[in-house]
Amino acid sequence: MTVVTRFAPSPTWYLHIWSLRTVLYNYLFAKKNNWKFMLRIEDTDRSRYVEWSIENLLEVLASVWLIPDEWPNNPWKNWPYLQSERLDIYKKYVDELLKNGTAYYCFCSSKRLEKLREEQKNLWLPTKYDQNCRYLSEDEVKEKLDKGLPYTIRLRVPKNKDVTFEDMIKWKVTVNTKDIDDQVLFKSDWFPTYHLANVIDDHMMEITHVIRWDEWTPSTPKHVLLYESFGWEKPIFAHIPLLLWSDRKKLSKRTWDVSVESYLEKGYLVEAIINYISLLWWNPKSTREMFTIEELISEFKLEDVHKAWAVFDVDRLDWFNSKYLASLDIDLIYNKFITYLKRYDKNFHKTIKDLPEDYNKKILNELKTRIKKFSDFKRLTDFFYEEPWVLEIDLILNEKMKIKNLTTVKQWLNIALWILKDKNNDLKSIESIKNLFIEKIKEEWMKNGQVLWPVRVALSKKEFSPGALELIYIFWREKSIEKIENVLKELK
Ligand code: GLU
């Protein structure tokens, strides 16, 4: 089967997390069926238009590897992908509807419509157009047009007819036309409304499957009527359920945390974001949780998308991210980390780039199972990258480990120095460093913690850090010696 899907956002803000899901399902479904996924920009509502959002959208889609096959300004541009560049097309088609009688001119002023709405509201009636202009004669219309009166164009919704469409995710939807308003198709500013432009574009771009979020289900009967008015075959619809925040509230539209970019900025891996988002609504019918994008393409089935709403839970995203950090190759993670810093933390990128790659990689390798995301890294590794600060004496003493006075601390720091300074001692792996220390600790009848605690604190000057052996492995001989000697000086 030829499958052409599309993502058709209105450029009003950053890409939302729930829209990423729409993109993902459109992408997976098209790729699974070996055909096309298109990006079209629905920018006919000029009051909500935000110029930078299109460029930002393209950037974010590229960052999460969901690149459409056709998009605005692509080199093989088949047609304009921005609705604002397609106004002539809509005009031509709406004229066709006027000719075949399925649309009509409406000369009602916005003042009249406002008053009508108020009256209906006061009577607790659904707000609907009262079809005041629906039955104007041809002569009356001509007269008003000749006078140059402003107008809109409305859909002539047939009387008492059941409109039905099948939905691949939800169920069969049937609505009687008595509940459908004579929808405005063309506004007085000469821009089409969403409904008209959306249907014409989906038809012209030969979209076979319209996959979008549930919010558009109530509009779909109007779209079906439009397809019928044009005599076109309608696409197959699939409406994806809502997404709620972990407190079960609807996500607010303008909070930074609901933008995809905020998760890229926090340093989540694309693998984790895509994996988590896909499983939010989609049930692969097994207990398996980790999927690469290629595996998602081959496994994905629109029919297996949940009908119920889903809940976005950052803890689950953290879990996926940790899994990927633990399992991906360190060279790959390192490259991703550098790309991340280049984009989101230029200063720290410079700090890192000035140091040997091997040093940074060792640190990242040690930290990758302790951080949840890249943005946690800097906070936990300051002692690897900043000039040492003054030691807090209370930190190096430790009641629990019976390190009660500085004499023992100094004694053990000196023994550590003695081990480190002996060039015959092999410090090439954490294992060999461990053997050196354990042997010495046994010899002196001490407990591991009593020795390793002061060494660890001397090297990091922090309450929490990787262990002493890991720190020695990363700092290696000279740096470790220098740090311990400095602490001994401080303790004098
Ligand atoms: N422009 C609509 C939106 O941003 C598109 C809905 C659709 O996919 O038909 O939600």
Side-chain angles (χ1 to χ4, degrees), residues 99-122:
K99 264 192 218 120
N100 75 17
T102 52
Y104 64 90
Y105 289 98
C106 171
F107 298 94
C108 293
S109 65
S110 44
K111 214 162 137 196
R112 177 179 184 274
L113 294 174
E114 191 49 50
K115 195 163 161 255
L116 176 67
R117 250 195 305 273
E118 276 308 308
E119 284 167 5
Q120 289 171 334
K121 266 200 212 151
N122 290 341

Side-chain angles (χ1 to χ4, degrees), residues 208-404:
T208 58
H209 292 74
V210 167
I211 306 168
R212 61 186 167 198
W213 76 321
D214 210 10
E215 203 178 62
W216 295 109
T217 308
S219 299
T220 307
K222 289 178 192 167
H223 300 180
V224 173
L225 284 174
L226 272 170
Y227 283 105
E228 286 173 2
S229 305
F230 283 117
W232 295 337
E233 195 184 326
K234 60 179 182 297
I236 296 168
F237 296 99
H239 289 95
I240 320 170
L242 282 183
L243 176 61
L244 303 179
W245 207 239
S246 31
D247 58 7
R248 312 249 148 181
K249 292 211 181 93
K250 215 173 147 182
L251 302 193
S252 130
K253 286 199 169 164
R254 294 286 162 113
T255 318
W256 179 233
D257 275 1
V258 303
S259 69
V260 177
E261 177 110 37
S262 75
Y263 294 89
L264 296 173
E265 188 195 40
K266 286 176 196 132
Y268 286 95
L269 296 168
V270 173
E271 287 85 345
I273 299 178
I274 295 293
N275 200 152
Y276 175 55
I277 294 290
S278 72
L279 295 192
L280 261 178
W281 291 268
W282 171 62
N283 178 2
K285 303 251 159 88
S286 75
T287 50
R288 181 165 162 210
E289 298 198 276
M290 310 296 282
F291 291 87
T292 63
I293 188 88
E294 291 76 21
E295 288 164 344
L296 287 174
I297 292 172
S298 84
E299 300 284 320
F300 182 73
K301 285 203 191 82
L302 255 185
E303 298 85 332
D304 291 343
V305 171
H306 301 293
K307 292 186 189 354
W309 35 259
V311 173
F312 185 82
D313 180 357
V314 180
D315 292 341
R316 279 293 282 163
L317 177 60
D318 285 346
W319 182 86
F320 275 100
N321 210 52
S322 308
K323 283 270 173 195
Y324 279 102
L325 282 172
S327 63
L328 293 179
D329 178 70
I330 182 64
D331 291 327
L332 183 68
I333 300 183
Y334 184 71
N335 287 342
K336 286 174 185 287
F337 183 49
I338 294 296
T339 312
Y340 163 77
L341 291 180
K342 262 191 214 157
R343 178 152 179 189
Y344 293 109
D345 194 346
K346 293 200 168 51
N347 286 339
F348 193 50
H349 176 246
K350 191 169 175 324
T351 309
I352 288 240
K353 276 310 227 191
D354 288 345
L355 290 160
E357 188 173 308
D358 185 47
Y359 178 68
N360 295 323
K361 253 190 213 169
K362 272 179 170 174
I363 300 171
L364 185 62
N365 198 30
E366 185 50 40
L367 264 289
K368 68 182 187 168
T369 50
R370 294 167 196 253
I371 56 173
K372 287 186 177 144
K373 49 198 183 294
F374 286 150
S375 57
D376 299 336
F377 182 87
K378 194 158 93 175
R379 184 173 45 84
L380 295 173
T381 57
D382 44 2
F383 50 89
F384 287 117
Y385 294 104
E386 282 172 34
E387 281 307 308
W389 46 87
V390 180
L391 173 73
E392 285 173 40
I393 304 289
D394 284 352
L395 211 58
I396 210 159
L397 298 173
N398 189 320
E399 279 285 325
K400 235 170 58 203
M401 292 186 200
K402 301 206 172 60
I403 309 172
K404 291 191 188 140

